Amino acid sequence: MSSPRALAWCLGALAGLAQAAGAATVTLDFEDLGCARGEASCELGDQYMGKGYALRYTPAEDEPIGSGLVVVGKAWKANRKGSVALSLRSCETSVTLMANDNALFDALAIDLAEMNGDGRAEVVFQGVQGNGNTVSQALVLDGKPGWQRFSFPASFRGLSSLRWAQGGCLQAQPHMFDNIELQA
């Protein structure tokens, strides 16, 4: 015979498994952006929408050279893995990621690379949790050509938004990003 406590534990474990099985993981890989398949780069505009999520560009104050996201194509010299990625148009700009339906999501991982393949880049991510609390994580790239995969800590679960900036471009090099792994 099972004790009521053991039965309750089993039911709770099964409910947790059912909830985890229902969670959908998506990867924003930008391969749907055809403008840069054979080019080094092309302009995208102020937002990207795909797979239930939106990335929205925020220009810098007094931005001198226009605004928007840049699609980094397979022909870009520092894009050695040969997939389509995104970057921010200017220094001191930012991008915010949100679910199209404003649902909470988990940020699991992201690929980052130095835009020009050299110089150290540091990218600071700020997440807003569903309860309004803010979490932050600074990711430092190694300063060498090539992509690096970063996993977000458990505190980046239950987010309403995730924001990061290009940085000053003098003290930290510009970056490109790809394969943003998210879970609803």
Side-chain angles (χ1 to χ4, degrees):
M1 265 196 202
S2 300
S3 72
R5 185 175 184 171
L7 181 60
W9 181 88
C10 286
L11 289 174
L14 286 173
L17 287 173
Q19 183 179 8
T25 300
V26 300
T27 300
L28 301 179
D29 60 12
F30 314 116
E31 293 299 320
D32 57 328
L33 298 172
C35 70
R37 285 202 177 110
E39 300 175 42
S41 68
C42 60
E43 298 293 324
L44 178 62
D46 289 342
Q47 79 176 5
Y48 166 81
M49 296 185 77
K51 300 182 182 178
Y53 293 89
L55 285 162
R56 291 189 176 86
Y57 180 88
T58 303
E61 188 176 316
D62 299 324
E63 188 167 345
I65 57 173
S67 65
L69 295 163
V70 174
V71 181
V72 182
K74 296 175 182 183
W76 186 260
K77 66 177 175 135
N79 189 1
R80 293 187 173 182
K81 73 177 179 172
S83 69
V84 177
L86 288 181
S87 185
L88 303 174
R89 174 75 168 103
S90 301
C91 301
E92 302 294 341
T93 60
S94 66
V95 64
T96 301
L97 172 68
M98 297 177 69
N100 290 343
D101 62 1
N102 294 318
L104 300 181
F105 62 92
D106 301 339
L108 303 177
I110 190 169
D111 291 347
L112 298 172
E114 292 83 354
M115 186 67 183
N116 297 311
D118 60 352
R120 194 183 125 226
E122 179 177 350
V123 185
V124 178
F125 290 85
Q126 295 180 323
V128 177
Q129 297 174 326
N131 61 9
N133 289 340
T134 302
V135 294
S136 182
Q137 174 74 31
L139 302 177
V140 180
L141 283 71
D142 61 12
K144 300 174 186 173
W147 289 89
Q148 293 178 257
R149 182 82 172 159
F150 292 95
S151 295
F152 290 103
S155 59
F156 279 72
R157 308 297 188 260
L159 300 178
S160 60
S161 68
L162 178 64
R163 180 181 180 273
W164 67 97
Q166 183 69 282
C169 296
L170 295 177
Q171 70 276 16
Q173 296 298 311
H175 70 280
M176 51 188 164
F177 52 93
D178 197 6
N179 298 319
I180 305 170
E181 190 176 341
L182 306 166
Q183 188 168 5

